[in-house]
Amino acid sequence: MIIGNTRWDVLTADITRCTVEAIVNAANSSLLGGGGVDGAIHRAAGPELLAECRSLGGCPTGEARMTRGYNLPAAHVIHTVGPIWRGGGAGEHDLLANCYRSSLGLVRDHALRSIAFPAISTGIYGFPKDQASLVAASAVRDELAAFPNSFDLILFICFDEDSADIYSRAVEELLG
Ligand code: AR6
């Protein structure tokens, strides 16, 4: 998809291998590492990432914090904390949308142009992928409308083909 100057794509890949300016980490509120994509990012970045994360003092759900990328191909990591799925009535959709907005806000604040997102909250945190993909796509669509030409490349990186199909369909649906 091309929207203004922005290419927006869904890929099946390992986000730790992505050469973009910033990759997003689906972290927890301690920012001190964990399993899933968080564990993979910390392993690939090396121990200096954890040392920098310790200095941040955590992050509330829906917000985001930026660090360097150390041994990653990406120069920066944006750590955001997705909501734990509790059935959908606990503000999960808004909190997940905030993760995408906060992350894109940091990209803009630092004048970066390219970012790769994982499927935040859809692993250990249990958010249903069909709903999470629509939240993600609508949040990005709204940011692109509000801040046109602020980004060159936005990637949704899925770990398997089935997820990539779900996120691709959501992007297509949201863009009509
Ligand atoms: N590249 C891209 N996507 C990946 C990768 C990877 N290397 N590894 C996993 N995924 P999860 P959450 C996908 O569980 O649900 C951690 O312990 C995975 O298939 O990583 O937000 C944190 O510390 C799934 O679709 O994150 C938190 O405690 C997606 O990434 C908690 O897990 C997100 O799955 C956060 O849970």
Side-chain angles (χ1 to χ4, degrees):
M1 297 281 180
I2 307 284
I3 299 149
N5 290 350
T6 307
R7 183 181 143 213
W8 181 9
D9 225 334
V10 180
L11 302 176
T12 308
D14 176 350
I15 203 165
T16 65
R17 312 285 296 270
C18 284
T19 16
V20 287
E21 289 172 308
I23 63 167
V24 176
N25 180 18
N28 59 65
S29 56
S30 77
L31 298 185
L32 298 181
V37 72
D38 193 5
I41 287 173
H42 275 273
R43 277 193 300 280
E48 288 165 301
L49 178 60
L50 181 58
E52 186 175 355
C53 284
R54 281 193 206 287
S55 74
L56 297 175
C59 177
T61 303
E63 294 187 18
R65 303 284 185 269
M66 190 151 90
T67 65
R68 292 170 56 193
Y70 300 98
N71 296 333
L72 291 163
H76 307 276
V77 181
I78 292 172
H79 307 263
T80 190
V81 183
I84 298 170
W85 181 255
R86 301 184 194 282
E92 293 95 325
H93 297 83
D94 287 345
L95 289 165
L96 184 60
N98 286 345
C99 290
Y100 287 86
R101 275 189 221 113
S102 314
S103 300
L104 290 171
L106 281 176
V107 166
R108 281 200 319 278
D109 290 348
H110 291 82
L112 306 179
R113 303 288 307 177
S114 57
I115 181 170
F117 286 99
I120 300 164
S121 281
T122 67
I124 292 162
Y125 280 180
F127 208 121
K129 284 181 182 159
D130 52 347
Q131 296 184 49
S133 63
L134 289 168
V135 170
S138 65
V140 169
R141 178 201 56 191
D142 292 350
E143 286 293 297
L144 285 175
F147 304 98
N149 302 326
S150 294
F151 314 100
D152 293 335
L153 179 63
I154 296 176
L155 295 176
F156 283 174
I157 300 296
C158 294
F159 213 31
D160 57 81
E161 297 283 350
D162 287 350
S163 303
D165 286 346
I166 294 169
Y167 277 75
S168 297
R169 275 201 300 276
V171 172
E172 282 162 20
E173 190 177 323
L174 267 293
L175 294 180

